[in-house]
């Protein structure tokens, strides 16, 4: 496989290969010298047309831990503001002999477009409301670390499913690994065709939490909501927010995840985000090892 565009295109075996490779890199990251020379001759451009904290830093760290040469590009402050097209921007970067491009873009499908028009390996770091494959891989890797094999495990994805590329990539990834998936949230934030993806829809968040072993709580993506889809953030927090008293009422322990960035007090309360049940920072930590694995495998480097 030359690119990582979406989880939809991956085979289950590919996901296991990425996880096994990430296991090795996680061990490297515990060493005093957290670096291997695998990608000494590889140059990678991280081109971000949308804001990012975790994904961007995580990719850059992953690439540097593999000894790649790294250049970072963000649309703000670039010639994009002068009217340059995506393809011209990328061709100019590639003309400087770049081997691999990690791209985030607000347009769904942008990485596929790029892959058709360039020779470089493309990694999708999030395209619009479509896919965020490395987030899904690090989420599933983090669940696997806690639960072992995910076959038959019960995972709830809660919140703004409609606008979330994390939700779609998680659904594809978890199903390929044999997990059962429920999506939960307000009807206005769950796509009408959700069940056609093979998931169950549960509008009552408490019932979804009662059913699941892991709750992956998603951010309310106000920047993608062009009309009001719920009355107020306060009301959303009251009916769909994950808080300590709701979790206590379940009388069982579940694992809490969130891809970040968190809207504290909206989709998740601070006492849950910072609780022992939360593995949010483990997700961030695992992101580096998983992205090292993806970059390494796509580079074709041999150990
Ligand atoms: N989870 C995630 O994609 O976070 P960033 O937008 O900060 O990269």
């Amino acid at each position: 496989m030359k690119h990582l565009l979406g989880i939809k295109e991956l085979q289950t075996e590919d996901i296991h290969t990425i996880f096994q490779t990430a296991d090795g890199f996680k061990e490297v990251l515990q060493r005093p010298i957290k670096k291997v020379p695998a990608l000494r001759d590889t140059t990678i451009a991280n081109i971000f047309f949308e804001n990012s904290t975790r994904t961007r830093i995580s990719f850059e760290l992953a690439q540097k831990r593999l000894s790649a040469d790294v250049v970072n590009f963000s649309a703000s402050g670039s010639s994009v503001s002068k009217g340059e097209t995506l393809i011209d921007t990328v061709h100019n970067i590639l003309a400087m002999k770049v081997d691999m491009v990690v791209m985030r873009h607000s347009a769904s499908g942008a990485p596929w477009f790029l892959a058709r028009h360039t020779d470089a390996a493309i990694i999708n770091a999030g395209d619009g409301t479509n896919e965020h494959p490395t987030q899904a891989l690090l989420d599933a890797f983090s669940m696997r670390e806690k639960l072992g094999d995910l076959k038959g495990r019960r995972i709830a994805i809660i919140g703004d499913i409609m606008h979330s590329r994390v939700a779609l990539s998680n659904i594809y990834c978890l199903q390929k690994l044999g997990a059962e998936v429920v999506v939960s949230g307000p009807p206005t934030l769950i796509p009408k065709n959700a069940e056609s993806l093979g998931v169950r829809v549960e509008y009552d968040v408490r019932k979804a939490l009662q059913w699941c072993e892991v709750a992956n709580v998603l951010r309310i993506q106000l920047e993608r909501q062009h009309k009001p889809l719920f009355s107020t953030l306060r009301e959303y927090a009251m009916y769909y927010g994950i808080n300590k008293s709701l979790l206590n009422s379940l009388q069982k322990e579940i694992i809490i995840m969130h891809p970040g960035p968190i809207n504290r007090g909206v989709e998740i309360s601070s006492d849950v985000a910072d609780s022992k049940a939360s593995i949010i920072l483990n997700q961030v930590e695992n992101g580096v090892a998983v992205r090292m694995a993806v970059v390494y495998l796509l580079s074709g480097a041999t150990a």
Side-chain angles (χ1 to χ4, degrees):
M1 186 167 285
K2 183 171 177 184
H3 312 289
L4 176 61
L5 301 176
I7 299 289
K8 195 176 183 181
E9 286 97 359
L10 292 186
Q11 304 295 319
T12 304
E13 203 45 50
D14 299 326
I15 299 173
H16 288 304
T17 302
I18 292 167
F19 286 175
Q20 281 152 17
T21 311
D23 286 336
F25 285 131
K26 190 150 182 192
E27 187 271 314
V28 168
L29 294 173
Q30 312 303 321
R31 296 179 194 163
I33 298 171
K34 304 171 181 54
K35 203 162 176 165
V36 290
L39 266 64
R40 260 185 325 214
D41 301 325
T42 305
T43 304
I44 306 175
N46 299 314
I47 61 173
F48 278 66
F49 293 85
E50 243 192 21
N51 295 342
S52 170
T53 299
R54 278 146 292 272
T55 312
R56 186 175 168 151
I57 292 175
S58 178
F59 264 114
E60 186 175 349
L61 264 179
Q63 295 151 359
K64 288 182 169 166
R65 302 290 191 220
L66 290 166
S67 305
D69 292 320
V70 181
V71 287
N72 291 308
F73 165 93
S74 57
S76 59
S78 76
S79 292
V80 170
S81 61
K82 300 175 193 164
E84 192 165 65
T85 63
L86 168 63
I87 205 74
D88 280 337
T89 300
V90 173
H91 276 148
N92 276 278
I93 292 169
L94 292 177
M96 299 179 223
K97 307 288 178 232
V98 167
D99 304 296
M100 190 181 286
V101 173
V102 176
M103 184 175 76
R104 171 169 287 191
H105 202 283
S106 57
S108 297
W112 281 261
F113 173 77
L114 208 56
R116 280 200 305 276
H117 291 90
T118 64
D119 289 331
I122 310 294
I123 299 177
N124 180 3
D127 66 312
T129 56
N130 184 38
E131 281 230 38
H132 191 349
T134 56
Q135 181 68 46
L137 290 167
L138 75 89
D139 287 347
F141 183 85
S142 304
M143 291 179 209
R144 166 185 173 266
E145 220 169 45
K146 289 284 167 193
L147 299 172
D149 189 356
L150 296 185
K151 206 174 175 62
R153 295 297 192 170
R154 298 185 306 278
I155 319 296
I157 305 174
I158 296 174
D160 184 356
I161 311 297
M162 175 96 78
H163 303 98
S164 174
R165 52 198 177 207
V166 176
L168 193 57
S169 286
N170 259 263
I171 290 168
Y172 291 141
C173 190
L174 292 167
Q175 287 181 336
K176 284 175 197 280
L177 294 171
E180 289 179 52
V181 181
V182 158
V183 295
S184 185
T188 49
L189 292 180
I190 296 188
K192 284 196 177 69
N193 67 346
E195 275 160 351
S196 70
L197 295 168
V199 301
R200 186 162 69 78
V201 177
E202 173 56 72
Y203 295 114
D204 183 333
V205 167
R206 195 178 180 287
K207 285 187 184 163
L209 293 174
Q210 195 69 65
W211 170 83
C212 74
E213 295 165 271
V214 180
N216 199 355
V217 185
L218 303 182
R219 182 172 69 86
I220 293 297
Q221 306 206 14
L222 291 174
E223 76 276 21
R224 297 189 207 280
Q225 296 176 19
H226 303 302
K227 57 182 181 188
L229 294 171
F230 50 88
S231 50
T232 62
L233 288 175
R234 190 162 160 265
E235 190 179 281
Y236 182 89
M238 248 158 74
Y239 288 100
Y240 300 100
I242 309 302
N243 57 51
K244 199 74 176 186
S245 69
L246 179 56
L247 289 190
N248 287 343
S249 76
L250 303 177
Q251 298 187 325
K252 66 168 196 169
E253 287 185 3
I254 61 171
I255 297 167
I256 300 293
M257 302 177 67
H258 192 304
I262 293 174
N263 290 309
R264 283 178 185 264
V266 181
E267 69 266 1
I268 192 166
S269 63
S270 283
D271 55 6
V272 172
D274 303 331
S275 71
K276 280 205 182 101
S278 160
I279 61 162
I280 294 171
L281 292 179
N282 301 68
Q283 291 171 258
V284 177
E285 181 185 343
N286 286 333
V288 179
V290 167
R291 291 183 171 115
M292 282 175 83
V294 168
V295 169
Y296 172 80
L297 290 167
L298 289 182
S299 75
T302 48

